[in-house]
Amino acid sequence: KNELQIKLGMLPYTESIIVALANMETSGDFIYTPSVSVQYLHYIKPRIGIGTTFSTGLPIIAIDENKTDIMYTALQFKFRGIYFDKENIKLYGEVGFGGELLFSITKEREVLAPFYAGSIVPFGIWFGSEKIFGTTELSFGSEGTILTVGCGFRF
């Protein structure tokens, strides 16, 4: 079986810290935006899946033009282990590791920096039919922190 999924997550951990450090000297308003991830998994065994995830986002947008906005794109290798498997619900854990590019564009300069990307999902819930499903994850990392939600299909 193969799985294709789109996810939304808030506050990618490392990327949000980098934006906060870049804007440490300033004050004002910020808008928090979701990161978007597309994930492909191939199940090599009924309970073990491997694949990749592509994520992108602008985690925090600074309202003031003097502040620094940082966008990122990440590519990770993913491993998923299912530890509870029933017909319409599965509980799983995931781990991912890869690399990312950070883009910072200000009036003074443009910066492109490579960095690492990673994510840990100690607890995820997969629910739905064998073809169409939704997920809710307790997550930490480049896809989002605290909660990540998604939907997808199996083929």
Side-chain angles (χ1 to χ4, degrees):
K1 291 257 183 196
N2 297 298
E3 200 174 279
L4 190 60
Q5 180 179 14
I6 188 163
K7 298 180 183 182
L8 294 176
M10 292 299 287
L11 294 172
Y13 185 74
T14 306
E15 296 80 0
S16 298
I17 289 174
I18 291 170
V19 172
L21 290 173
N23 291 299
M24 201 155 77
E25 299 293 320
T26 62
S27 62
D29 295 326
F30 294 94
I31 298 173
Y32 297 93
T33 60
S35 60
V36 178
S37 301
V38 176
Q39 178 171 288
Y40 167 78
L41 287 176
H42 173 73
Y43 285 87
I44 56 176
K45 292 186 177 182
R47 292 182 176 229
I48 298 175
I50 59 171
T52 60
T53 299
F54 173 78
S55 303
T56 189
L58 186 65
I60 301 172
I61 299 173
I63 303 299
D64 188 345
E65 64 184 41
N66 296 323
K67 296 179 184 169
T68 303
D69 291 330
I70 295 174
M71 181 178 178
Y72 76 98
T73 59
L75 186 62
Q76 297 179 64
F77 170 77
K78 291 299 273 285
F79 173 82
R80 177 184 286 177
I82 298 173
Y83 48 85
F84 178 80
D85 191 359
K86 292 294 181 189
E87 187 176 337
N88 294 327
I89 191 165
K90 300 172 186 346
L91 302 179
Y92 63 88
E94 260 181 18
V95 64
F97 191 76
E100 71 183 16
L101 290 175
L102 298 167
F103 304 91
S104 172
I105 301 171
T106 61
K107 287 184 176 182
E108 296 85 34
R109 62 185 175 165
E110 296 178 12
V111 177
L112 175 68
F115 206 64
Y116 74 92
S119 63
I120 297 171
V121 177
F123 183 76
I125 302 172
W126 183 102
F127 52 90
S129 70
E130 276 300 309
K131 295 287 182 191
I132 308 248
F133 64 90
T135 59
T136 303
E137 301 173 343
L138 174 63
S139 58
F140 179 79
S142 294
E143 293 177 48
T145 299
I146 311 284
L147 181 67
T148 304
V149 296
C151 63
F153 63 94
R154 296 180 102 186
F155 55 98

